[in-house]
Amino acid sequence: MEELRNVAGVPGDSGRMCINMEWGAFGDDGSLAMLSTRFDASVDQASINPGKQRFEKMISGMYLGEIVRHILLHLTSLGVLFRGQQIQRLQTRDIFKTKFLSEIESDSLALRQVRAILEDLGLPLTSDDALMVLEVCQAVSQRAAQLCGAGVAAVVEKIRENRGLEELAVSVGVDGTLYKLHPHFSSLVAATVRELAPRCVVTFLQSEDGSGKGAALVTAVACRLAQLTRV
């Protein structure tokens, strides 16, 4: 929640407003170019909206699997993965679902189990290959979590400065299967916020079916307005 007087473009100077990040389009102006890689560019160009929602494509569960796939293709072309053999299965878009990142990075899995998951995808590989794929998954998910944490840290620190506080205690609602199901994503986000905004005490609260409830609320309001109009 932010003081209304600190929210530009909204009339009024009393009360508070709940901030909805909606940060997917952050970076569409090129401000994230220094953080974007050739693999991000490949995923963006193959998407239905090239050049749009650039931040979302770097952090969202919808895209992380594709980032991993493009990295694996590159490593294969360099001859350091899959013995340099081009695997047709790996050419298939969206074969590497983001849920596999959560499974592969689970602390309870031994390397042989990671290898079994990848073989089920039709990727014949050695133990060394499995280890490299694991490290790629870890790097991609860690970057996504740290970018999320950096975004949250920037906002809560701005709120603290606006209020002139030495320390800010604030709650942040989070939704999404990646945050909920990935074994390390939530802790990496929280750790990044603590590092970048040490004077803010942030409590993360998971929302249950936020999109579904939001849609239901909008529908209810629309129906209510329609009834008032008829009256």
Side-chain angles (χ1 to χ4, degrees), residues 22-28 32 44 47 49-60 63:
E22 288 296 341
W23 54 14
F26 176 53
D28 287 0
L32 291 177
D44 175 55
S47 70
N49 55 346
K52 305 294 184 183
Q53 301 296 108
R54 298 304 299 271
F55 193 56
E56 178 181 358
K57 291 170 184 173
M58 298 172 77
I59 65 173
S60 170
Y63 299 99

mmCIF file with all atom_site columns, all heavy atoms in Angstrom, residues 22-28 32 44 47 49-60 63:
data_model
loop_
_atom_site.group_PDB
_atom_site.id
_atom_site.type_symbol
_atom_site.label_atom_id
_atom_site.label_alt_id
_atom_site.label_comp_id
_atom_site.label_asym_id
_atom_site.label_entity_id
_atom_site.label_seq_id
_atom_site.pdbx_PDB_ins_code
_atom_site.Cartn_x
_atom_site.Cartn_y
_atom_site.Cartn_z
_atom_site.occupancy
_atom_site.B_iso_or_equiv
_atom_site.pdbx_formal_charge
_atom_site.auth_seq_id
_atom_site.auth_comp_id
_atom_site.auth_asym_id
_atom_site.auth_atom_id
_atom_site.pdbx_PDB_model_num
ATOM 1   N N   . GLU A 1 22 ? 2.325  -5.294  -12.252 1.00 0.00 ? 22 GLU A N   1
ATOM 2   C CA  . GLU A 1 22 ? 2.106  -5.354  -13.693 1.00 0.00 ? 22 GLU A CA  1
ATOM 3   C C   . GLU A 1 22 ? 3.360  -4.902  -14.457 1.00 0.00 ? 22 GLU A C   1
ATOM 4   O O   . GLU A 1 22 ? 3.323  -4.032  -15.295 1.00 0.00 ? 22 GLU A O   1
ATOM 5   C CB  . GLU A 1 22 ? 0.897  -4.493  -14.091 1.00 0.00 ? 22 GLU A CB  1
ATOM 6   C CG  . GLU A 1 22 ? -0.444 -5.062  -13.686 1.00 0.00 ? 22 GLU A CG  1
ATOM 7   C CD  . GLU A 1 22 ? -0.781 -6.384  -14.370 1.00 0.00 ? 22 GLU A CD  1
ATOM 8   O OE1 . GLU A 1 22 ? -0.175 -6.695  -15.414 1.00 0.00 ? 22 GLU A OE1 1
ATOM 9   O OE2 . GLU A 1 22 ? -1.644 -7.106  -13.841 1.00 0.00 ? 22 GLU A OE2 1
ATOM 10  N N   . TRP A 1 23 ? 4.467  -5.531  -14.106 1.00 0.00 ? 23 TRP A N   1
ATOM 11  C CA  . TRP A 1 23 ? 5.761  -5.055  -14.609 1.00 0.00 ? 23 TRP A CA  1
ATOM 12  C C   . TRP A 1 23 ? 6.226  -5.806  -15.862 1.00 0.00 ? 23 TRP A C   1
ATOM 13  O O   . TRP A 1 23 ? 7.367  -5.665  -16.282 1.00 0.00 ? 23 TRP A O   1
ATOM 14  C CB  . TRP A 1 23 ? 6.812  -5.177  -13.527 1.00 0.00 ? 23 TRP A CB  1
ATOM 15  C CG  . TRP A 1 23 ? 6.967  -6.547  -12.913 1.00 0.00 ? 23 TRP A CG  1
ATOM 16  C CD1 . TRP A 1 23 ? 6.476  -7.724  -13.388 1.00 0.00 ? 23 TRP A CD1 1
ATOM 17  C CD2 . TRP A 1 23 ? 7.663  -6.856  -11.700 1.00 0.00 ? 23 TRP A CD2 1
ATOM 18  N NE1 . TRP A 1 23 ? 6.826  -8.755  -12.551 1.00 0.00 ? 23 TRP A NE1 1
ATOM 19  C CE2 . TRP A 1 23 ? 7.552  -8.255  -11.500 1.00 0.00 ? 23 TRP A CE2 1
ATOM 20  C CE3 . TRP A 1 23 ? 8.372  -6.110  -10.776 1.00 0.00 ? 23 TRP A CE3 1
ATOM 21  C CZ2 . TRP A 1 23 ? 8.116  -8.907  -10.414 1.00 0.00 ? 23 TRP A CZ2 1
ATOM 22  C CZ3 . TRP A 1 23 ? 8.936  -6.756  -9.688  1.00 0.00 ? 23 TRP A CZ3 1
ATOM 23  C CH2 . TRP A 1 23 ? 8.800  -8.131  -9.512  1.00 0.00 ? 23 TRP A CH2 1
ATOM 24  N N   . GLY A 1 24 ? 5.336  -6.565  -16.468 1.00 0.00 ? 24 GLY A N   1
ATOM 25  C CA  . GLY A 1 24 ? 5.739  -7.368  -17.622 1.00 0.00 ? 24 GLY A CA  1
ATOM 26  C C   . GLY A 1 24 ? 6.350  -6.572  -18.755 1.00 0.00 ? 24 GLY A C   1
ATOM 27  O O   . GLY A 1 24 ? 7.258  -7.032  -19.438 1.00 0.00 ? 24 GLY A O   1
ATOM 28  N N   . ALA A 1 25 ? 5.855  -5.348  -18.957 1.00 0.00 ? 25 ALA A N   1
ATOM 29  C CA  . ALA A 1 25 ? 6.340  -4.521  -20.070 1.00 0.00 ? 25 ALA A CA  1
ATOM 30  C C   . ALA A 1 25 ? 7.556  -3.679  -19.700 1.00 0.00 ? 25 ALA A C   1
ATOM 31  O O   . ALA A 1 25 ? 8.063  -2.929  -20.548 1.00 0.00 ? 25 ALA A O   1
ATOM 32  C CB  . ALA A 1 25 ? 5.218  -3.611  -20.578 1.00 0.00 ? 25 ALA A CB  1
ATOM 33  N N   . PHE A 1 26 ? 8.032  -3.802  -18.479 1.00 0.00 ? 26 PHE A N   1
ATOM 34  C CA  . PHE A 1 26 ? 9.241  -3.076  -18.093 1.00 0.00 ? 26 PHE A CA  1
ATOM 35  C C   . PHE A 1 26 ? 10.393 -3.501  -19.004 1.00 0.00 ? 26 PHE A C   1
ATOM 36  O O   . PHE A 1 26 ? 10.624 -4.679  -19.219 1.00 0.00 ? 26 PHE A O   1
ATOM 37  C CB  . PHE A 1 26 ? 9.586  -3.380  -16.633 1.00 0.00 ? 26 PHE A CB  1
ATOM 38  C CG  . PHE A 1 26 ? 10.871 -2.771  -16.151 1.00 0.00 ? 26 PHE A CG  1
ATOM 39  C CD1 . PHE A 1 26 ? 11.102 -1.415  -16.292 1.00 0.00 ? 26 PHE A CD1 1
ATOM 40  C CD2 . PHE A 1 26 ? 11.850 -3.549  -15.559 1.00 0.00 ? 26 PHE A CD2 1
ATOM 41  C CE1 . PHE A 1 26 ? 12.282 -0.842  -15.847 1.00 0.00 ? 26 PHE A CE1 1
ATOM 42  C CE2 . PHE A 1 26 ? 13.035 -2.991  -15.111 1.00 0.00 ? 26 PHE A CE2 1
ATOM 43  C CZ  . PHE A 1 26 ? 13.250 -1.636  -15.261 1.00 0.00 ? 26 PHE A CZ  1
ATOM 44  N N   . GLY A 1 27 ? 11.087 -2.542  -19.556 1.00 0.00 ? 27 GLY A N   1
ATOM 45  C CA  . GLY A 1 27 ? 12.197 -2.857  -20.445 1.00 0.00 ? 27 GLY A CA  1
ATOM 46  C C   . GLY A 1 27 ? 11.855 -2.788  -21.916 1.00 0.00 ? 27 GLY A C   1
ATOM 47  O O   . GLY A 1 27 ? 12.749 -2.914  -22.766 1.00 0.00 ? 27 GLY A O   1
ATOM 48  N N   . ASP A 1 28 ? 10.575 -2.583  -22.236 1.00 0.00 ? 28 ASP A N   1
ATOM 49  C CA  . ASP A 1 28 ? 10.206 -2.475  -23.645 1.00 0.00 ? 28 ASP A CA  1
ATOM 50  C C   . ASP A 1 28 ? 10.845 -1.260  -24.302 1.00 0.00 ? 28 ASP A C   1
ATOM 51  O O   . ASP A 1 28 ? 10.930 -1.177  -25.535 1.00 0.00 ? 28 ASP A O   1
ATOM 52  C CB  . ASP A 1 28 ? 8.678  -2.392  -23.794 1.00 0.00 ? 28 ASP A CB  1
ATOM 53  C CG  . ASP A 1 28 ? 8.000  -3.733  -23.515 1.00 0.00 ? 28 ASP A CG  1
ATOM 54  O OD1 . ASP A 1 28 ? 8.723  -4.702  -23.202 1.00 0.00 ? 28 ASP A OD1 1
ATOM 55  O OD2 . ASP A 1 28 ? 6.765  -3.807  -23.611 1.00 0.00 ? 28 ASP A OD2 1
ATOM 56  N N   . LEU A 1 32 ? 16.384 -2.579  -20.363 1.00 0.00 ? 32 LEU A N   1
ATOM 57  C CA  . LEU A 1 32 ? 16.924 -3.854  -19.879 1.00 0.00 ? 32 LEU A CA  1
ATOM 58  C C   . LEU A 1 32 ? 17.932 -4.463  -20.854 1.00 0.00 ? 32 LEU A C   1
ATOM 59  O O   . LEU A 1 32 ? 18.339 -5.609  -20.684 1.00 0.00 ? 32 LEU A O   1
ATOM 60  C CB  . LEU A 1 32 ? 15.786 -4.858  -19.638 1.00 0.00 ? 32 LEU A CB  1
ATOM 61  C CG  . LEU A 1 32 ? 14.843 -4.568  -18.477 1.00 0.00 ? 32 LEU A CG  1
ATOM 62  C CD1 . LEU A 1 32 ? 13.739 -5.622  -18.432 1.00 0.00 ? 32 LEU A CD1 1
ATOM 63  C CD2 . LEU A 1 32 ? 15.588 -4.536  -17.160 1.00 0.00 ? 32 LEU A CD2 1
ATOM 64  N N   . ASP A 1 44 ? 12.194 -13.955 -27.516 1.00 0.00 ? 44 ASP A N   1
ATOM 65  C CA  . ASP A 1 44 ? 11.346 -12.805 -27.839 1.00 0.00 ? 44 ASP A CA  1
ATOM 66  C C   . ASP A 1 44 ? 10.921 -12.833 -29.301 1.00 0.00 ? 44 ASP A C   1
ATOM 67  O O   . ASP A 1 44 ? 9.740  -12.632 -29.630 1.00 0.00 ? 44 ASP A O   1
ATOM 68  C CB  . ASP A 1 44 ? 12.101 -11.510 -27.537 1.00 0.00 ? 44 ASP A CB  1
ATOM 69  C CG  . ASP A 1 44 ? 11.325 -10.279 -27.957 1.00 0.00 ? 44 ASP A CG  1
ATOM 70  O OD1 . ASP A 1 44 ? 10.170 -10.120 -27.511 1.00 0.00 ? 44 ASP A OD1 1
ATOM 71  O OD2 . ASP A 1 44 ? 11.869 -9.466  -28.728 1.00 0.00 ? 44 ASP A OD2 1
ATOM 72  N N   . SER A 1 47 ? 8.177  -15.250 -30.119 1.00 0.00 ? 47 SER A N   1
ATOM 73  C CA  . SER A 1 47 ? 6.924  -15.080 -29.383 1.00 0.00 ? 47 SER A CA  1
ATOM 74  C C   . SER A 1 47 ? 5.859  -14.435 -30.271 1.00 0.00 ? 47 SER A C   1
ATOM 75  O O   . SER A 1 47 ? 6.145  -13.978 -31.376 1.00 0.00 ? 47 SER A O   1
ATOM 76  C CB  . SER A 1 47 ? 7.156  -14.219 -28.140 1.00 0.00 ? 47 SER A CB  1
ATOM 77  O OG  . SER A 1 47 ? 7.426  -12.869 -28.508 1.00 0.00 ? 47 SER A OG  1
ATOM 78  N N   . ASN A 1 49 ? 4.423  -11.703 -29.578 1.00 0.00 ? 49 ASN A N   1
ATOM 79  C CA  . ASN A 1 49 ? 4.516  -10.242 -29.439 1.00 0.00 ? 49 ASN A CA  1
ATOM 80  C C   . ASN A 1 49 ? 5.970  -9.787  -29.330 1.00 0.00 ? 49 ASN A C   1
ATOM 81  O O   . ASN A 1 49 ? 6.394  -9.300  -28.279 1.00 0.00 ? 49 ASN A O   1
ATOM 82  C CB  . ASN A 1 49 ? 3.721  -9.769  -28.222 1.00 0.00 ? 49 ASN A CB  1
ATOM 83  C CG  . ASN A 1 49 ? 4.143  -10.471 -26.937 1.00 0.00 ? 49 ASN A CG  1
ATOM 84  O OD1 . ASN A 1 49 ? 4.843  -11.485 -26.967 1.00 0.00 ? 49 ASN A OD1 1
ATOM 85  N ND2 . ASN A 1 49 ? 3.730  -9.939  -25.802 1.00 0.00 ? 49 ASN A ND2 1
ATOM 86  N N   . PRO A 1 50 ? 6.753  -9.935  -30.397 1.00 0.00 ? 50 PRO A N   1
ATOM 87  C CA  . PRO A 1 50 ? 8.167  -9.542  -30.369 1.00 0.00 ? 50 PRO A CA  1
ATOM 88  C C   . PRO A 1 50 ? 8.343  -8.082  -29.934 1.00 0.00 ? 50 PRO A C   1
ATOM 89  O O   . PRO A 1 50 ? 7.598  -7.201  -30.368 1.00 0.00 ? 50 PRO A O   1
ATOM 90  C CB  . PRO A 1 50 ? 8.614  -9.739  -31.822 1.00 0.00 ? 50 PRO A CB  1
ATOM 91  C CG  . PRO A 1 50 ? 7.667  -10.755 -32.371 1.00 0.00 ? 50 PRO A CG  1
ATOM 92  C CD  . PRO A 1 50 ? 6.354  -10.458 -31.717 1.00 0.00 ? 50 PRO A CD  1
ATOM 93  N N   . GLY A 1 51 ? 9.322  -7.870  -29.062 1.00 0.00 ? 51 GLY A N   1
ATOM 94  C CA  . GLY A 1 51 ? 9.617  -6.520  -28.599 1.00 0.00 ? 51 GLY A CA  1
ATOM 95  C C   . GLY A 1 51 ? 8.740  -6.038  -27.470 1.00 0.00 ? 51 GLY A C   1
ATOM 96  O O   . GLY A 1 51 ? 8.953  -4.947  -26.940 1.00 0.00 ? 51 GLY A O   1
ATOM 97  N N   . LYS A 1 52 ? 7.772  -6.864  -27.069 1.00 0.00 ? 52 LYS A N   1
ATOM 98  C CA  . LYS A 1 52 ? 6.851  -6.489  -26.007 1.00 0.00 ? 52 LYS A CA  1
ATOM 99  C C   . LYS A 1 52 ? 7.015  -7.429  -24.809 1.00 0.00 ? 52 LYS A C   1
ATOM 100 O O   . LYS A 1 52 ? 7.457  -8.553  -24.947 1.00 0.00 ? 52 LYS A O   1
ATOM 101 C CB  . LYS A 1 52 ? 5.392  -6.543  -26.490 1.00 0.00 ? 52 LYS A CB  1
ATOM 102 C CG  . LYS A 1 52 ? 5.120  -5.708  -27.737 1.00 0.00 ? 52 LYS A CG  1
ATOM 103 C CD  . LYS A 1 52 ? 5.294  -4.223  -27.470 1.00 0.00 ? 52 LYS A CD  1
ATOM 104 C CE  . LYS A 1 52 ? 4.914  -3.398  -28.692 1.00 0.00 ? 52 LYS A CE  1
ATOM 105 N NZ  . LYS A 1 52 ? 5.132  -1.945  -28.481 1.00 0.00 ? 52 LYS A NZ  1
ATOM 106 N N   . GLN A 1 53 ? 6.634  -6.907  -23.650 1.00 0.00 ? 53 GLN A N   1
ATOM 107 C CA  . GLN A 1 53 ? 6.680  -7.704  -22.408 1.00 0.00 ? 53 GLN A CA  1
ATOM 108 C C   . GLN A 1 53 ? 8.068  -8.317  -22.190 1.00 0.00 ? 53 GLN A C   1
ATOM 109 O O   . GLN A 1 53 ? 8.202  -9.484  -21.814 1.00 0.00 ? 53 GLN A O   1
ATOM 110 C CB  . GLN A 1 53 ? 5.621  -8.806  -22.453 1.00 0.00 ? 53 GLN A CB  1
ATOM 111 C CG  . GLN A 1 53 ? 4.186  -8.321  -22.621 1.00 0.00 ? 53 GLN A CG  1
ATOM 112 C CD  . GLN A 1 53 ? 3.699  -7.491  -21.459 1.00 0.00 ? 53 GLN A CD  1
ATOM 113 O OE1 . GLN A 1 53 ? 3.539  -6.280  -21.577 1.00 0.00 ? 53 GLN A OE1 1
ATOM 114 N NE2 . GLN A 1 53 ? 3.472  -8.109  -20.323 1.00 0.00 ? 53 GLN A NE2 1
ATOM 115 N N   . ARG A 1 54 ? 9.091  -7.527  -22.360 1.00 0.00 ? 54 ARG A N   1
ATOM 116 C CA  . ARG A 1 54 ? 10.465 -8.040  -22.286 1.00 0.00 ? 54 ARG A CA  1
ATOM 117 C C   . ARG A 1 54 ? 10.828 -8.544  -20.890 1.00 0.00 ? 54 ARG A C   1
ATOM 118 O O   . ARG A 1 54 ? 11.508 -9.563  -20.750 1.00 0.00 ? 54 ARG A O   1
ATOM 119 C CB  . ARG A 1 54 ? 11.443 -6.947  -22.732 1.00 0.00 ? 54 ARG A CB  1
ATOM 120 C CG  . ARG A 1 54 ? 11.271 -6.480  -24.177 1.00 0.00 ? 54 ARG A CG  1
ATOM 121 C CD  . ARG A 1 54 ? 11.376 -7.641  -25.165 1.00 0.00 ? 54 ARG A CD  1
ATOM 122 N NE  . ARG A 1 54 ? 12.658 -8.299  -25.122 1.00 0.00 ? 54 ARG A NE  1
ATOM 123 C CZ  . ARG A 1 54 ? 13.706 -7.948  -25.851 1.00 0.00 ? 54 ARG A CZ  1
ATOM 124 N NH1 . ARG A 1 54 ? 13.627 -6.924  -26.691 1.00 0.00 ? 54 ARG A NH1 1
ATOM 125 N NH2 . ARG A 1 54 ? 14.831 -8.616  -25.786 1.00 0.00 ? 54 ARG A NH2 1
ATOM 126 N N   . PHE A 1 55 ? 10.392 -7.831  -19.859 1.00 0.00 ? 55 PHE A N   1
ATOM 127 C CA  . PHE A 1 55 ? 10.710 -8.269  -18.491 1.00 0.00 ? 55 PHE A CA  1
ATOM 128 C C   . PHE A 1 55 ? 10.008 -9.589  -18.184 1.00 0.00 ? 55 PHE A C   1
ATOM 129 O O   . PHE A 1 55 ? 10.594 -10.493 -17.587 1.00 0.00 ? 55 PHE A O   1
ATOM 130 C CB  . PHE A 1 55 ? 10.299 -7.194  -17.488 1.00 0.00 ? 55 PHE A CB  1
ATOM 131 C CG  . PHE A 1 55 ? 10.859 -7.403  -16.104 1.00 0.00 ? 55 PHE A CG  1
ATOM 132 C CD1 . PHE A 1 55 ? 12.217 -7.530  -15.895 1.00 0.00 ? 55 PHE A CD1 1
ATOM 133 C CD2 . PHE A 1 55 ? 10.024 -7.450  -14.997 1.00 0.00 ? 55 PHE A CD2 1
ATOM 134 C CE1 . PHE A 1 55 ? 12.749 -7.713  -14.630 1.00 0.00 ? 55 PHE A CE1 1
ATOM 135 C CE2 . PHE A 1 55 ? 10.539 -7.620  -13.722 1.00 0.00 ? 55 PHE A CE2 1
ATOM 136 C CZ  . PHE A 1 55 ? 11.896 -7.755  -13.535 1.00 0.00 ? 55 PHE A CZ  1
ATOM 137 N N   . GLU A 1 56 ? 8.752  -9.687  -18.598 1.00 0.00 ? 56 GLU A N   1
ATOM 138 C CA  . GLU A 1 56 ? 7.996  -10.918 -18.378 1.00 0.00 ? 56 GLU A CA  1
ATOM 139 C C   . GLU A 1 56 ? 8.705  -12.108 -19.008 1.00 0.00 ? 56 GLU A C   1
ATOM 140 O O   . GLU A 1 56 ? 8.733  -13.207 -18.435 1.00 0.00 ? 56 GLU A O   1
ATOM 141 C CB  . GLU A 1 56 ? 6.588  -10.782 -18.952 1.00 0.00 ? 56 GLU A CB  1
ATOM 142 C CG  . GLU A 1 56 ? 5.740  -12.041 -18.802 1.00 0.00 ? 56 GLU A CG  1
ATOM 143 C CD  . GLU A 1 56 ? 4.356  -11.901 -19.392 1.00 0.00 ? 56 GLU A CD  1
ATOM 144 O OE1 . GLU A 1 56 ? 4.022  -10.800 -19.888 1.00 0.00 ? 56 GLU A OE1 1
ATOM 145 O OE2 . GLU A 1 56 ? 3.610  -12.887 -19.368 1.00 0.00 ? 56 GLU A OE2 1
ATOM 146 N N   . LYS A 1 57 ? 9.282  -11.909 -20.183 1.00 0.00 ? 57 LYS A N   1
ATOM 147 C CA  . LYS A 1 57 ? 9.932  -13.005 -20.899 1.00 0.00 ? 57 LYS A CA  1
ATOM 148 C C   . LYS A 1 57 ? 11.256 -13.417 -20.253 1.00 0.00 ? 57 LYS A C   1
ATOM 149 O O   . LYS A 1 57 ? 11.819 -14.460 -20.613 1.00 0.00 ? 57 LYS A O   1
ATOM 150 C CB  . LYS A 1 57 ? 10.160 -12.603 -22.363 1.00 0.00 ? 57 LYS A CB  1
ATOM 151 C CG  . LYS A 1 57 ? 8.851  -12.486 -23.151 1.00 0.00 ? 57 LYS A CG  1
ATOM 152 C CD  . LYS A 1 57 ? 9.062  -11.851 -24.511 1.00 0.00 ? 57 LYS A CD  1
ATOM 153 C CE  . LYS A 1 57 ? 7.733  -11.663 -25.230 1.00 0.00 ? 57 LYS A CE  1
ATOM 154 N NZ  . LYS A 1 57 ? 7.857  -10.903 -26.483 1.00 0.00 ? 57 LYS A NZ  1
ATOM 155 N N   . MET A 1 58 ? 11.730 -12.623 -19.300 1.00 0.00 ? 58 MET A N   1
ATOM 156 C CA  . MET A 1 58 ? 12.960 -12.974 -18.595 1.00 0.00 ? 58 MET A CA  1
ATOM 157 C C   . MET A 1 58 ? 12.695 -13.640 -17.251 1.00 0.00 ? 58 MET A C   1
ATOM 158 O O   . MET A 1 58 ? 13.593 -14.258 -16.672 1.00 0.00 ? 58 MET A O   1
ATOM 159 C CB  . MET A 1 58 ? 13.808 -11.713 -18.374 1.00 0.00 ? 58 MET A CB  1
ATOM 160 C CG  . MET A 1 58 ? 14.257 -11.031 -19.657 1.00 0.00 ? 58 MET A CG  1
ATOM 161 S SD  . MET A 1 58 ? 15.048 -9.428  -19.380 1.00 0.00 ? 58 MET A SD  1
ATOM 162 C CE  . MET A 1 58 ? 16.668 -9.951  -18.805 1.00 0.00 ? 58 MET A CE  1
ATOM 163 N N   . ILE A 1 59 ? 11.453 -13.526 -16.759 1.00 0.00 ? 59 ILE A N   1
ATOM 164 C CA  . ILE A 1 59 ? 11.187 -14.006 -15.399 1.00 0.00 ? 59 ILE A CA  1
ATOM 165 C C   . ILE A 1 59 ? 9.994  -14.954 -15.292 1.00 0.00 ? 59 ILE A C   1
ATOM 166 O O   . ILE A 1 59 ? 9.850  -15.645 -14.280 1.00 0.00 ? 59 ILE A O   1
ATOM 167 C CB  . ILE A 1 59 ? 10.932 -12.825 -14.439 1.00 0.00 ? 59 ILE A CB  1
ATOM 168 C CG1 . ILE A 1 59 ? 9.646  -12.081 -14.829 1.00 0.00 ? 59 ILE A CG1 1
ATOM 169 C CG2 . ILE A 1 59 ? 12.130 -11.879 -14.405 1.00 0.00 ? 59 ILE A CG2 1
ATOM 170 C CD1 . ILE A 1 59 ? 9.230  -11.000 -13.844 1.00 0.00 ? 59 ILE A CD1 1
ATOM 171 N N   . SER A 1 60 ? 9.160  -14.993 -16.298 1.00 0.00 ? 60 SER A N   1
ATOM 172 C CA  . SER A 1 60 ? 7.905  -15.740 -16.188 1.00 0.00 ? 60 SER A CA  1
ATOM 173 C C   . SER A 1 60 ? 8.092  -17.223 -16.453 1.00 0.00 ? 60 SER A C   1
ATOM 174 O O   . SER A 1 60 ? 8.864  -17.629 -17.326 1.00 0.00 ? 60 SER A O   1
ATOM 175 C CB  . SER A 1 60 ? 6.878  -15.169 -17.174 1.00 0.00 ? 60 SER A CB  1
ATOM 176 O OG  . SER A 1 60 ? 5.745  -16.009 -17.263 1.00 0.00 ? 60 SER A OG  1
ATOM 177 N N   . TYR A 1 63 ? 8.112  -18.679 -19.987 1.00 0.00 ? 63 TYR A N   1
ATOM 178 C CA  . TYR A 1 63 ? 9.229  -18.533 -20.928 1.00 0.00 ? 63 TYR A CA  1
ATOM 179 C C   . TYR A 1 63 ? 10.544 -19.173 -20.482 1.00 0.00 ? 63 TYR A C   1
ATOM 180 O O   . TYR A 1 63 ? 11.444 -19.354 -21.304 1.00 0.00 ? 63 TYR A O   1
ATOM 181 C CB  . TYR A 1 63 ? 9.483  -17.047 -21.201 1.00 0.00 ? 63 TYR A CB  1
ATOM 182 C CG  . TYR A 1 63 ? 8.312  -16.335 -21.827 1.00 0.00 ? 63 TYR A CG  1
ATOM 183 C CD1 . TYR A 1 63 ? 7.444  -15.568 -21.058 1.00 0.00 ? 63 TYR A CD1 1
ATOM 184 C CD2 . TYR A 1 63 ? 8.060  -16.437 -23.197 1.00 0.00 ? 63 TYR A CD2 1
ATOM 185 C CE1 . TYR A 1 63 ? 6.358  -14.915 -21.635 1.00 0.00 ? 63 TYR A CE1 1
ATOM 186 C CE2 . TYR A 1 63 ? 6.982  -15.791 -23.779 1.00 0.00 ? 63 TYR A CE2 1
ATOM 187 C CZ  . TYR A 1 63 ? 6.138  -15.035 -22.992 1.00 0.00 ? 63 TYR A CZ  1
ATOM 188 O OH  . TYR A 1 63 ? 5.059  -14.392 -23.561 1.00 0.00 ? 63 TYR A OH  1
#
